[in-house]
Amino acid sequence: MTQLQPPRGTKDLIGEDQRRHTHIVTVARAAAATYGFEEWSTPIFEDTRVFARTLGDTSDVVTKEMYTFEDRGGDSVTLRPENTAGICRALVTNGLTQSLPQKVFYAGPMFRYERPQKGRYRQFTQIGAELIGAAEPLADAETIALGRDILAELGLGAEITLELNTLGDGESRAAWRAALVDYFSARREQLSAESQARLARNPLRILDSKDPADRALVAEAPAIAPFLTPESATFYDRLRNYLTQLGVAFVENPRIVRGLDYYNHTAFEFVTNRLGAQGTVMAGGRYDGLVAEMGGPPTPAVGWAAGVERLAMLLEVPPSLPRPVAVIPMDPESEAVALALLQEVRRAGVRAEIAYRGNAKRRFERANRIGASAALLIGEAERASETVIVRDLESGKQQTLSRRDAVRHLTQPLVP
Ligand code: ATP
Ligand code: MG
C-alpha cells in the first residue's frame, strides 16, 4: 500500500517543533495582554468575498494564492490566507464598530497556495495584533512596540531589525505611483514578466518583487518622501518620535510596501538575514480603508502579522519539557496509594509519571529512560507510616518524608 504523506507545503508539528510553536504563541499572548490586546478567534474559512473584496483583486494573494472552493451547498468559501480581513469582518458582524478602539490579538493557521520552500508553506501559523479605531500615530507606535517586545522576549531582539516606511495618504501615494510608473515604464524591458503586468495594475507591488533583475531596478526607483503631503509628513514624523520615546529602534527603508492593497501611512517589516529570501518575520502597517470596505463605517486601524514557522527556525534554545518525577509502587498493594500521591504531585504543578506495568526494577529503569529527576517510592513500610521515600536520581541520595513534605520538597528545590 502507498504510504500517505501530508499535503505538499504542510507539516506535522511533533515534539520539539510543536514546543517551539507553543512557546512563541505563549510569549506573544502574554506580551499582547500587557498592552491590553485581547485575543479573538475567527473561522479559518470565510465567505470568499471577505478576501476578494478587501485584499484587492491585483494582490498576489487573491490572484494566485487562495484556497477557494465551492462547498456542498454551492457557496464559495476560502481558507483564510491572513486574518486582518477576518478580524475586520468580525468587528462589523458583532457591532463592535460602536465600541472603539478594539485591540485584538490572534494566533492560528493560515493557508496560501505557494511554492513550498524553507520558511514558506501552504499551511502556516501567524500571530497578529490589530488596533482598530485609533487614527493617531501613537497607535502605530504602540502596535510596533508590542511586536518588538515579543521578538525581544523570544531572545531575537539583537538579530532582527525593524525597517520602517510610510505610504502616505491617498494624495501622496497617487503622486508617488505616477513617478514609479514613469520610472519603470522607461525600463520596462528590464522588468520581469510578472512586474510588467504589475506596472499596469499595481505598480507599488513591483517594489516588493523577489526577482533579482527587478530588485536591481527597485534599488534606484523613486522613494515616496518628496511626494508626501504636509499632513502625511507630519504623521510620519510623529510616528518616528513616538517610536524613539518608546525605545524602539528602527531603520528607514523607502522600499517597504505592504503586499496587500489596503494600507496607508505606516508600513514596516521586522527582518533578519538568517532566513535567506524568507527574511521577513513580522510585517504590518496602517489600513484605514479596510473596515469600510467590509461594510462598516470608516474606521482607522493598524496591525501586524508574524510567521510562527520563521520565528521557530530562529529560536536558539528549543524550550524543553520539565523533567518528570517518577512515582514507583514497590509492590502491587502500594499501587492505590501511589496513584493518590501521583495526583497530588501533579496538582502541585509538577510533571509526574507512573509506569503502566512491570516490577519495581523495571519501573526504575523506565524512570531513568524518561529522564526523571526524582523517584517517589512507596512500599509496605511507607504505606504503614504514611510516608514516602524521595530519591534524587542525580545524586542517588534519598530521604523519607511525609507525603505533604515530599510534595513541598518537589515544588521547591528539585524542579528545574
Ligand atoms: P512574503 O513576502 O514572504 O511572501 P508576505 O508579504 O506574503 O510575505 P504577509 O502577508 O505580510 O507576508 O504575512 C506576514 C508574515 O507571515 C510574513 O512576514 C511571514 O513571516 C509569514 N508568512 C507569509 N506567508 C507565509 C508562508 N507561505 N509560509 C510561512 N510564513 C509565511
Ligand atoms: Mg507572500
Side-chain angles (χ1 to χ4, degrees):
M1 234 170 44
T2 46
Q3 177 94 50
L4 294 176
Q5 299 294 330
R8 196 165 133 75
T10 69
K11 59 178 183 180
D12 303 312
L13 290 178
I14 294 173
E16 186 189 313
D17 289 335
Q18 178 64 59
R19 287 202 298 277
R20 284 171 182 262
H21 274 241
T22 304
H23 177 66
I24 291 164
V25 174
T26 305
V27 163
R29 187 176 275 137
T34 68
Y35 279 73
F37 283 70
E38 202 180 344
E39 186 162 357
W40 292 14
S41 295
T42 59
I44 65 165
F45 63 94
E46 294 270 3
D47 185 320
T48 296
R49 288 170 295 183
V50 167
F51 307 109
R53 201 189 275 173
T54 59
L55 301 189
D57 19 282
T58 59
S59 74
D60 283 357
V61 171
V62 170
T63 53
K64 300 187 306 214
E65 297 175 0
M66 291 208 311
Y67 275 93
T68 298
F69 57 97
E70 223 172 75
D71 70 10
R72 286 168 196 276
D75 294 324
S76 178
V77 297
T78 295
L79 300 183
R80 60 184 188 190
E82 53 96 40
N83 207 23
T84 305
I87 295 290
C88 290
R89 196 273 307 137
L91 179 92
V92 174
T93 315
N94 292 279
L96 294 169
T97 54
Q98 299 307 310
S99 10
L100 298 175
Q102 291 285 334
K103 296 159 86 175
V104 182
F105 170 79
Y106 65 80
M110 308 295 156
F111 305 85
R112 297 184 191 179
Y113 192 82
E114 303 206 64
R115 191 170 67 77
Q117 48 197 298
K118 182 183 166 201
R120 193 174 294 285
Y121 310 97
R122 291 184 172 175
Q123 174 174 339
F124 59 101
T125 312
Q126 280 184 342
I127 49 173
E130 316 288 357
L131 201 168
I132 308 173
E136 295 73 20
L138 180 53
D140 307 54
E142 272 223 301
T143 306
I144 294 172
L146 167 60
R148 197 280 317 265
D149 277 8
I150 291 169
L151 299 174
E153 184 74 24
L154 291 171
L156 303 174
E159 60 189 292
I160 292 179
T161 308
L162 167 58
E163 299 195 344
L164 185 68
N165 192 22
T166 180
L167 306 175
D169 54 15
E171 193 186 328
S172 320
R173 212 158 44 256
W176 182 38
R177 175 178 290 133
L180 287 171
V181 170
D182 282 352
Y183 171 84
F184 286 121
S185 298
R187 294 156 184 84
R188 197 187 160 81
E189 304 311 307
Q190 292 157 260
L191 285 173
S192 66
E194 208 176 340
S195 285
Q196 291 187 11
R198 287 179 181 133
L199 190 51
R201 293 182 310 179
N202 189 355
L204 264 61
R205 293 276 305 135
I206 299 175
L207 300 182
D208 207 22
S209 169
K210 286 162 186 91
D211 181 283
D214 289 350
R215 300 225 53 88
L217 285 185
V218 163
E220 304 297 325
I224 194 174
F227 304 100
L228 289 178
T229 58
E231 297 75 27
S232 293
T234 304
F235 187 98
Y236 191 39
D237 280 342
R238 292 179 63 201
L239 171 61
R240 284 175 293 186
N241 279 335
Y242 281 132
L243 286 173
T244 304
Q245 286 164 23
L246 290 170
V248 179
F250 60 88
V251 297
E252 293 181 71
N253 178 351
R255 312 292 155 214
I256 301 257
V257 289
R258 300 299 308 118
L260 308 176
D261 294 345
Y262 47 70
Y263 288 90
N264 62 325
H265 289 302
T266 314
F268 60 91
E269 294 188 356
F270 284 90
V271 300
T272 170
N273 51 24
R274 269 180 55 200
L275 296 176
Q278 275 64 249
T280 304
V281 293
M282 182 182 282
R286 177 163 280 282
Y287 53 94
D288 292 342
L290 182 56
V291 175
E293 283 189 57
M294 207 62 80
T299 308
V302 57
W304 53 255
V308 173
E309 286 75 8
R310 293 185 194 177
L311 292 172
M313 288 190 285
L314 295 174
L315 282 193
E316 287 300 347
V317 190
S320 56
L321 272 183
R323 290 174 69 183
V325 161
V327 175
I328 302 181
M330 305 300 283
D331 51 34
E333 295 73 30
S334 298
E335 195 172 64
V337 181
L339 288 179
L341 179 67
L342 177 75
Q343 293 302 73
E344 241 179 276
V345 174
R346 288 172 174 169
R347 265 178 232 125
V350 176
R351 178 182 166 202
E353 305 255 6
I354 191 164
Y356 300 128
R357 61 174 171 169
N359 58 22
K361 177 163 173 283
R362 285 247 179 286
R363 288 171 190 241
F364 264 114
E365 284 165 7
R366 186 181 135 79
N368 283 319
R369 210 165 46 241
I370 64 174
S373 57
L376 302 182
L377 318 178
I378 296 182
E380 199 181 339
E382 289 72 41
R383 256 186 292 138
S385 58
E386 298 193 1
T387 58
V388 52
I389 298 172
V390 181
R391 180 182 298 177
D392 184 325
L393 293 179
E394 291 293 329
S395 64
K397 283 198 195 117
Q398 62 179 48
Q399 50 187 326
T400 299
L401 298 173
S402 74
R403 282 184 217 153
R404 166 121 72 66
D405 285 348
V407 173
R408 198 176 290 160
H409 180 74
L410 291 173
T411 54
Q412 277 138 28
L414 278 180
V415 177

PDB file of all heavy atoms in Angstrom, residues 182-196:
ATOM      1  N   ASP A 182       6.295  56.153 -14.335  1.00  0.00           N
ATOM      2  CA  ASP A 182       7.244  56.775 -15.275  1.00  0.00           C
ATOM      3  C   ASP A 182       8.580  56.048 -15.259  1.00  0.00           C
ATOM      4  O   ASP A 182       9.132  55.694 -16.296  1.00  0.00           O
ATOM      5  CB  ASP A 182       7.511  58.246 -14.876  1.00  0.00           C
ATOM      6  CG  ASP A 182       6.362  59.138 -15.305  1.00  0.00           C
ATOM      7  OD1 ASP A 182       5.463  58.639 -16.037  1.00  0.00           O
ATOM      8  OD2 ASP A 182       6.343  60.314 -14.885  1.00  0.00           O
ATOM      9  N   TYR A 183       9.081  55.859 -14.061  1.00  0.00           N
ATOM     10  CA  TYR A 183      10.405  55.257 -13.895  1.00  0.00           C
ATOM     11  C   TYR A 183      10.443  53.842 -14.473  1.00  0.00           C
ATOM     12  O   TYR A 183      11.322  53.498 -15.260  1.00  0.00           O
ATOM     13  CB  TYR A 183      10.775  55.241 -12.412  1.00  0.00           C
ATOM     14  CG  TYR A 183      12.022  54.464 -12.084  1.00  0.00           C
ATOM     15  CD1 TYR A 183      13.290  55.047 -12.212  1.00  0.00           C
ATOM     16  CD2 TYR A 183      11.938  53.137 -11.657  1.00  0.00           C
ATOM     17  CE1 TYR A 183      14.441  54.322 -11.907  1.00  0.00           C
ATOM     18  CE2 TYR A 183      13.082  52.414 -11.353  1.00  0.00           C
ATOM     19  CZ  TYR A 183      14.327  53.006 -11.486  1.00  0.00           C
ATOM     20  OH  TYR A 183      15.461  52.278 -11.191  1.00  0.00           O
ATOM     21  N   PHE A 184       9.473  53.015 -14.100  1.00  0.00           N
ATOM     22  CA  PHE A 184       9.504  51.619 -14.556  1.00  0.00           C
ATOM     23  C   PHE A 184       9.123  51.502 -16.030  1.00  0.00           C
ATOM     24  O   PHE A 184       9.630  50.632 -16.738  1.00  0.00           O
ATOM     25  CB  PHE A 184       8.591  50.747 -13.690  1.00  0.00           C
ATOM     26  CG  PHE A 184       9.159  50.452 -12.316  1.00  0.00           C
ATOM     27  CD1 PHE A 184       8.483  50.827 -11.170  1.00  0.00           C
ATOM     28  CD2 PHE A 184      10.386  49.802 -12.187  1.00  0.00           C
ATOM     29  CE1 PHE A 184       9.005  50.569  -9.907  1.00  0.00           C
ATOM     30  CE2 PHE A 184      10.924  49.529 -10.928  1.00  0.00           C
ATOM     31  CZ  PHE A 184      10.220  49.914  -9.789  1.00  0.00           C
ATOM     32  N   SER A 185       8.250  52.374 -16.513  1.00  0.00           N
ATOM     33  CA  SER A 185       7.870  52.303 -17.932  1.00  0.00           C
ATOM     34  C   SER A 185       9.088  52.538 -18.814  1.00  0.00           C
ATOM     35  O   SER A 185       9.268  51.879 -19.840  1.00  0.00           O
ATOM     36  CB  SER A 185       6.791  53.346 -18.271  1.00  0.00           C
ATOM     37  OG  SER A 185       5.633  53.079 -17.521  1.00  0.00           O
ATOM     38  N   ALA A 186       9.948  53.480 -18.370  1.00  0.00           N
ATOM     39  CA  ALA A 186      11.146  53.776 -19.152  1.00  0.00           C
ATOM     40  C   ALA A 186      12.111  52.592 -19.144  1.00  0.00           C
ATOM     41  O   ALA A 186      13.030  52.538 -19.963  1.00  0.00           O
ATOM     42  CB  ALA A 186      11.829  55.024 -18.585  1.00  0.00           C
ATOM     43  N   ARG A 187      11.925  51.647 -18.219  1.00  0.00           N
ATOM     44  CA  ARG A 187      12.831  50.490 -18.114  1.00  0.00           C
ATOM     45  C   ARG A 187      12.057  49.182 -18.237  1.00  0.00           C
ATOM     46  O   ARG A 187      12.477  48.133 -17.741  1.00  0.00           O
ATOM     47  CB  ARG A 187      13.554  50.539 -16.754  1.00  0.00           C
ATOM     48  CG  ARG A 187      14.488  51.729 -16.636  1.00  0.00           C
ATOM     49  CD  ARG A 187      14.748  52.144 -15.203  1.00  0.00           C
ATOM     50  NE  ARG A 187      15.574  53.355 -15.156  1.00  0.00           N
ATOM     51  CZ  ARG A 187      15.076  54.592 -15.265  1.00  0.00           C
ATOM     52  NH1 ARG A 187      13.765  54.795 -15.409  1.00  0.00           N
ATOM     53  NH2 ARG A 187      15.888  55.643 -15.240  1.00  0.00           N
ATOM     54  N   ARG A 188      10.960  49.253 -18.897  1.00  0.00           N
ATOM     55  CA  ARG A 188      10.029  48.149 -18.994  1.00  0.00           C
ATOM     56  C   ARG A 188      10.687  46.837 -19.421  1.00  0.00           C
ATOM     57  O   ARG A 188      10.400  45.768 -18.861  1.00  0.00           O
ATOM     58  CB  ARG A 188       8.949  48.540 -20.021  1.00  0.00           C
ATOM     59  CG  ARG A 188       7.719  47.716 -19.942  1.00  0.00           C
ATOM     60  CD  ARG A 188       6.756  48.015 -21.077  1.00  0.00           C
ATOM     61  NE  ARG A 188       5.863  46.880 -21.190  1.00  0.00           N
ATOM     62  CZ  ARG A 188       4.816  46.705 -20.402  1.00  0.00           C
ATOM     63  NH1 ARG A 188       4.482  47.625 -19.535  1.00  0.00           N
ATOM     64  NH2 ARG A 188       4.083  45.617 -20.499  1.00  0.00           N
ATOM     65  N   GLU A 189      11.573  46.945 -20.424  1.00  0.00           N
ATOM     66  CA  GLU A 189      12.184  45.734 -20.992  1.00  0.00           C
ATOM     67  C   GLU A 189      12.995  44.978 -19.943  1.00  0.00           C
ATOM     68  O   GLU A 189      13.156  43.761 -20.037  1.00  0.00           O
ATOM     69  CB  GLU A 189      13.123  46.096 -22.161  1.00  0.00           C
ATOM     70  CG  GLU A 189      12.451  46.891 -23.275  1.00  0.00           C
ATOM     71  CD  GLU A 189      11.127  46.252 -23.704  1.00  0.00           C
ATOM     72  OE1 GLU A 189      11.145  45.038 -24.019  1.00  0.00           O
ATOM     73  OE2 GLU A 189      10.090  46.949 -23.700  1.00  0.00           O
ATOM     74  N   GLN A 190      13.515  45.698 -18.943  1.00  0.00           N
ATOM     75  CA  GLN A 190      14.367  45.044 -17.940  1.00  0.00           C
ATOM     76  C   GLN A 190      13.553  44.374 -16.824  1.00  0.00           C
ATOM     77  O   GLN A 190      14.103  43.642 -16.022  1.00  0.00           O
ATOM     78  CB  GLN A 190      15.317  46.071 -17.305  1.00  0.00           C
ATOM     79  CG  GLN A 190      16.377  46.597 -18.271  1.00  0.00           C
ATOM     80  CD  GLN A 190      16.898  47.955 -17.829  1.00  0.00           C
ATOM     81  OE1 GLN A 190      16.492  49.001 -18.336  1.00  0.00           O
ATOM     82  NE2 GLN A 190      17.806  47.943 -16.853  1.00  0.00           N
ATOM     83  N   LEU A 191      12.264  44.667 -16.778  1.00  0.00           N
ATOM     84  CA  LEU A 191      11.434  44.097 -15.704  1.00  0.00           C
ATOM     85  C   LEU A 191      11.074  42.649 -15.999  1.00  0.00           C
ATOM     86  O   LEU A 191      10.977  42.241 -17.166  1.00  0.00           O
ATOM     87  CB  LEU A 191      10.130  44.895 -15.559  1.00  0.00           C
ATOM     88  CG  LEU A 191      10.187  46.270 -14.881  1.00  0.00           C
ATOM     89  CD1 LEU A 191       8.825  46.951 -14.990  1.00  0.00           C
ATOM     90  CD2 LEU A 191      10.587  46.122 -13.402  1.00  0.00           C
ATOM     91  N   SER A 192      10.865  41.862 -14.936  1.00  0.00           N
ATOM     92  CA  SER A 192      10.350  40.506 -15.107  1.00  0.00           C
ATOM     93  C   SER A 192       8.943  40.590 -15.703  1.00  0.00           C
ATOM     94  O   SER A 192       8.271  41.615 -15.595  1.00  0.00           O
ATOM     95  CB  SER A 192      10.288  39.795 -13.752  1.00  0.00           C
ATOM     96  OG  SER A 192       9.336  40.431 -12.921  1.00  0.00           O
ATOM     97  N   ALA A 193       8.525  39.476 -16.337  1.00  0.00           N
ATOM     98  CA  ALA A 193       7.189  39.456 -16.950  1.00  0.00           C
ATOM     99  C   ALA A 193       6.124  39.791 -15.916  1.00  0.00           C
ATOM    100  O   ALA A 193       5.192  40.558 -16.175  1.00  0.00           O
ATOM    101  CB  ALA A 193       6.924  38.082 -17.564  1.00  0.00           C
ATOM    102  N   GLU A 194       6.323  39.258 -14.718  1.00  0.00           N
ATOM    103  CA  GLU A 194       5.338  39.479 -13.668  1.00  0.00           C
ATOM    104  C   GLU A 194       5.236  40.968 -13.315  1.00  0.00           C
ATOM    105  O   GLU A 194       4.150  41.513 -13.141  1.00  0.00           O
ATOM    106  CB  GLU A 194       5.754  38.679 -12.435  1.00  0.00           C
ATOM    107  CG  GLU A 194       4.598  38.258 -11.573  1.00  0.00           C
ATOM    108  CD  GLU A 194       5.090  37.382 -10.413  1.00  0.00           C
ATOM    109  OE1 GLU A 194       6.204  36.821 -10.516  1.00  0.00           O
ATOM    110  OE2 GLU A 194       4.365  37.281  -9.424  1.00  0.00           O
ATOM    111  N   SER A 195       6.391  41.616 -13.224  1.00  0.00           N
ATOM    112  CA  SER A 195       6.366  43.030 -12.865  1.00  0.00           C
ATOM    113  C   SER A 195       5.872  43.896 -14.015  1.00  0.00           C
ATOM    114  O   SER A 195       5.308  44.968 -13.792  1.00  0.00           O
ATOM    115  CB  SER A 195       7.754  43.481 -12.390  1.00  0.00           C
ATOM    116  OG  SER A 195       7.983  42.993 -11.087  1.00  0.00           O
ATOM    117  N   GLN A 196       6.072  43.444 -15.242  1.00  0.00           N
ATOM    118  CA  GLN A 196       5.480  44.188 -16.365  1.00  0.00           C
ATOM    119  C   GLN A 196       3.958  44.212 -16.230  1.00  0.00           C
ATOM    120  O   GLN A 196       3.316  45.230 -16.480  1.00  0.00           O
ATOM    121  CB  GLN A 196       5.898  43.560 -17.696  1.00  0.00           C
ATOM    122  CG  GLN A 196       7.378  43.766 -17.971  1.00  0.00           C
ATOM    123  CD  GLN A 196       7.807  43.303 -19.361  1.00  0.00           C
ATOM    124  OE1 GLN A 196       6.982  43.011 -20.213  1.00  0.00           O
ATOM    125  NE2 GLN A 196       9.110  43.261 -19.569  1.00  0.00           N
TER     126      GLN A 196
END
